Amino acid sequence: THLARAMEEQAPGLLCSVLLLDPAGRRLLLGAAPSLPDAYNQAIHGVAIGPGVGSCGTAAFRGERVIVTDIALDPLWSAYCELALRYALRACWSEPIRSSGGQVLGTFAMYYHEPRAPSNEELELIRTAAHLAGIAIEHHRTQDDLRMAKEAAEAANQLKSDFLANMSHEIRTPMTAILGYADLLLEPNQAPEDRTSYVQILRQNGTHLLAILNDILDLSKIEAGKLTVERIPCSPSVIVGEVRSLLHARALEKNLDFQIEFVGPIPETIESDPTRLRQIL
């Protein structure tokens, strides 16, 4: 808007317009046209570019300057002549706006209420305006890209924080069981069968802890936001029993009664990921 108004101050009766090419490169969208009628701006917003789409649609399509000295007589405006004349627009010169790499970003247009051809100074003015518009658009998009990159980095950092918080819980659970049953083994007068049971539980928890650590160390899965989920035969009753061994020692520490009850028939095997299912439970 500031650029359009600054250009309009250079010549009496000048009306400027900045249209932006959509990401697909097919349609022109309203960027800024502070002095053109709102109804006209809305009518051309989203117009498809092509070989005979007024001055701007044609300039964006060709990638070159289009000078129309009389809208009422020029065939490029045949489909839009009535619209333009309704708002007393008679001349329109349009220059493609390009990026620093030469890509068409949109168009900068100059309108007048009377038929007229541009002078050499006015041609230089529209070229300069389009160049400045390109710089402004690229700067704005760079700022948007930086903002999006910052937001993505913050989101990734939050995901890692959440992951570490979850993993710390996952690690503490089997570690508590391991330490708890290790303490039980150190108590005197333990029956041999109890010691054997405790060692089995220690091994189960150690195996579970190793699986968790393997997941943590596989950073590529974390960065990609993906964890491989297996689908293999496993026993739900065995998994529930392993979960009980994970949590039983912690319950004992707090003098809590911890029991497992099955309601209804339990299949001997199911197809699932035993590690993930154990973590969920």
Side-chain angles (χ1 to χ4, degrees), residues 92-281:
C92 182
W93 319 328
S94 185
E95 180 88 10
I97 299 171
R98 294 185 180 276
S99 68
S100 56
Q103 178 186 5
V104 175
L105 303 176
T107 60
F108 189 93
M110 292 180 170
Y111 289 85
Y112 283 94
H113 286 303
E114 67 279 348
R116 58 172 295 180
S119 64
N120 290 333
E121 290 78 11
E122 287 169 327
L123 289 177
E124 181 61 24
L125 182 64
I126 192 172
R127 187 198 67 79
T128 301
H131 177 67
L132 293 175
I135 294 173
I137 292 169
E138 281 198 306
H139 176 73
H140 179 74
R141 291 182 177 177
T142 298
Q143 294 300 313
D144 283 347
D145 290 344
L146 289 174
R147 176 182 54 79
M148 293 174 64
K150 179 175 179 291
E151 291 176 353
E154 290 174 348
N157 187 55
Q158 183 60 47
L159 285 174
K160 289 184 178 180
S161 296
D162 293 344
F163 176 82
L164 291 175
N166 290 333
M167 285 299 101
S168 66
H169 166 75
E170 294 282 356
I171 292 171
R172 282 197 302 268
T173 299
M175 280 301 299
T176 301
I178 290 170
L179 294 174
Y181 282 101
D183 289 339
L184 290 175
L185 283 172
L186 292 175
E187 292 181 2
N189 304 321
Q190 289 282 358
E193 61 271 17
D194 288 339
R195 290 183 178 275
T196 301
S197 174
Y198 296 159
V199 170
Q200 290 175 342
I201 293 172
L202 286 171
R203 181 174 178 78
Q204 290 173 359
N205 283 281
T207 302
H208 179 56
L209 180 59
L210 180 61
I212 295 172
L213 293 175
N214 285 335
D215 278 345
I216 296 174
L217 294 175
D218 195 349
L219 295 178
S220 62
K221 294 179 183 178
I222 301 170
E223 295 294 342
K226 297 177 181 179
L227 286 173
T228 301
V229 178
E230 293 184 305
R231 187 177 179 87
I232 60 176
C234 54
S235 169
S237 60
V238 169
I239 292 173
V240 172
E242 291 172 348
V243 172
R244 183 184 186 281
S245 70
L246 284 169
L247 301 177
H248 184 63
R250 183 177 295 182
L252 288 177
E253 287 180 356
K254 299 180 180 296
N255 296 317
L256 297 175
D257 185 33
F258 185 67
Q259 298 182 18
I260 302 294
E261 294 183 2
F262 291 94
V263 178
I266 302 299
E268 291 186 8
T269 61
I270 59 173
E271 284 195 355
S272 183
D273 187 321
T275 300
R276 306 292 175 225
L277 184 54
R278 190 183 302 111
Q279 288 175 334
I280 291 168
L281 293 175

Side-chain angles (χ1 to χ4, degrees), residues 26-54:
R26 298 176 181 175
R27 296 181 178 276
L28 288 173
L29 309 177
L30 179 64
S35 299
L36 288 171
D38 289 340
Y40 178 79
N41 290 333
Q42 293 304 316
I44 64 173
H45 176 69
V47 65
I49 66 174
V53 186

